[in-house]
Amino acid sequence: MATKLQIDAAVQRGQETMNSPLRAIAARYDAKSQRVIVTLASGIELAIPPAIVQGLSTASAAELEDIEITPLGNGLYFPAIDADVFIPAIMDGYTGTSKWMARELGRKGGSATSEKKSAASKANGKLGGRPRKAKVA
């Protein structure tokens, strides 16, 4: 059970969040730019591409149109896909869990093409392809 001191500290943190210029006051999905637009209390607008955010990356435009701002204004909730986005994390560059972000980075890197990569692949193919893995006895 929380002590009075803990409760008072939590209330204080809540008040600080409610007074923050980084609190979201409006959010909408702009289909033309394919971005979630978040207006902060400071007047700054963030344009977030859903494709780079865990939970939003595979959502359709229709699913992204219904957005709720959390009571403290520090998060967005997308009820159609049951996804939450924490705005301070997005502003710090965290678009998902570290495991998800690493997988996405690897996927993008693995699908990248270049002349050098293509030439190496062709040269390797002339040698018979990838060497077979040695069986461990």
Side-chain angles (χ1 to χ4, degrees):
M1 185 158 195
T3 66
K4 178 166 177 19
L5 187 61
Q6 291 170 324
I7 292 170
D8 290 345
V11 168
Q12 178 65 31
R13 286 191 308 272
Q15 287 297 332
E16 289 169 4
T17 301
M18 289 297 293
N19 295 329
S20 170
L22 303 179
R23 179 177 46 88
I25 58 171
R28 63 183 170 80
Y29 178 70
D30 180 46
K32 184 177 180 183
S33 67
Q34 296 181 343
R35 301 285 193 264
V36 174
I37 310 296
V38 181
T39 304
L40 303 177
S42 64
I44 293 173
E45 287 189 340
L46 303 174
I48 305 166
I52 67 165
V53 179
Q54 183 177 8
L56 305 184
S57 60
T58 59
S60 69
E63 291 171 325
L64 294 169
E65 287 177 354
D66 186 18
I67 306 171
E68 297 175 7
I69 298 172
T70 61
L72 290 179
N74 61 359
L76 305 176
Y77 177 63
F78 296 82
I81 52 176
D82 193 28
D84 292 289
V85 174
F86 187 55
I87 295 169
I90 294 289
M91 292 177 66
D92 284 340
Y94 297 100
T95 59
T97 63
S98 56
K99 185 176 180 179
W100 183 85
M101 289 174 28
R103 185 180 69 229
E104 286 299 297
L105 185 61
R107 184 180 61 79
K108 289 177 183 172
S111 67
T113 58
S114 67
E115 289 181 25
K116 194 172 183 179
K117 193 173 178 181
S118 179
S121 179
K122 287 177 186 174
N124 194 29
K126 289 179 183 176
L127 298 173
R130 286 183 184 252
R132 299 197 186 276
K133 291 185 179 179
K135 293 186 178 181
V136 179

